[in-house]
Amino acid sequence: MAMPDFPTHLLEGFPVVIQIPIQWGEMDAYGHVNNTVYFRLFESARIAYHERCGFNAAFRTEQIGPILHSTSCRFRLPLVYPDTAIVGARVSKLGPDRVEQEYRILSVSRNAVAAEGSGIIVSFDYEKQEKARLPEAVRQAILALEPVAPADF
């Protein structure tokens, strides 16, 4: 699917960008997209980022993968059907066993930012059920994708 026209400067610095059509069923009784949908849009961008950096592949081979520690959202304007959301994801902090990601959702119909958010994703050993160091291949893929300063958090 071709990316629709939108103000590209609004996603400058977001190396992973996806588009998702808004569905009628995502609307709530107040006539706008329910707040839970924004978190699903963040999740879709997060998974696309993880795929690009090999984090999901590390889970399949080593049982070490991402687990969401925490997430937040700043709602800026309501999304409504019909529209298309353009969602960007980037890593803002890179630690030994976790990353902090930032997300931005654009409304194509309004050419504006609909929401911004963040999430902390911990590297998790699903076999041992404990946190683990971020796989080195994933760390290197993130650094190849975007410049991120190491963080101790």
Side-chain angles (χ1 to χ4, degrees):
M1 184 183 315
M3 194 70 73
D5 289 332
F6 66 95
T8 56
H9 72 279
L10 294 175
L11 286 173
E12 189 174 314
F14 287 85
V16 174
V17 176
I18 62 171
Q19 66 175 328
I20 302 173
I22 299 300
Q23 304 298 309
W24 171 257
E26 294 170 331
M27 306 266 283
D28 62 20
Y30 299 106
H32 58 77
V33 168
N34 187 273
N35 64 78
T36 60
V37 174
Y38 290 75
F39 289 100
R40 286 201 316 261
L41 295 170
F42 290 165
E43 177 185 56
S44 293
R46 180 169 55 251
I47 296 304
Y49 194 103
H50 293 167
E51 283 291 338
R52 186 131 169 225
C53 293
F55 213 170
N56 294 342
F59 172 74
R60 291 188 290 275
T61 60
E62 305 170 44
Q63 292 297 295
I64 294 177
I67 193 166
L68 186 62
H69 171 284
S70 56
T71 188
S72 66
C73 182
R74 167 68 169 89
F75 302 97
R76 299 211 172 268
L77 60 86
L79 291 168
V80 296
Y81 175 88
D83 199 352
T84 298
I86 307 293
V87 189
R90 66 181 169 201
V91 168
S92 56
K93 293 181 183 174
L94 180 61
D97 63 358
R98 64 193 65 205
V99 299
E100 181 175 13
Q101 284 192 303
E102 295 177 351
Y103 315 106
R104 184 170 292 155
I105 300 172
L106 302 183
S107 161
V108 170
S109 69
R110 296 179 69 181
N111 283 326
V113 175
E116 295 173 306
S118 65
I120 296 176
I121 297 88
V122 174
S123 181
F124 194 75
D125 186 322
Y126 283 87
E127 189 173 303
K128 295 178 182 175
Q129 291 293 295
E130 61 187 28
K131 71 179 179 176
R133 288 192 64 79
L134 194 63
E136 190 58 30
V138 173
R139 175 180 303 283
Q140 292 307 316
I142 291 169
L143 292 172
L145 187 59
E146 59 181 331
V148 181
D152 188 22
F153 65 106

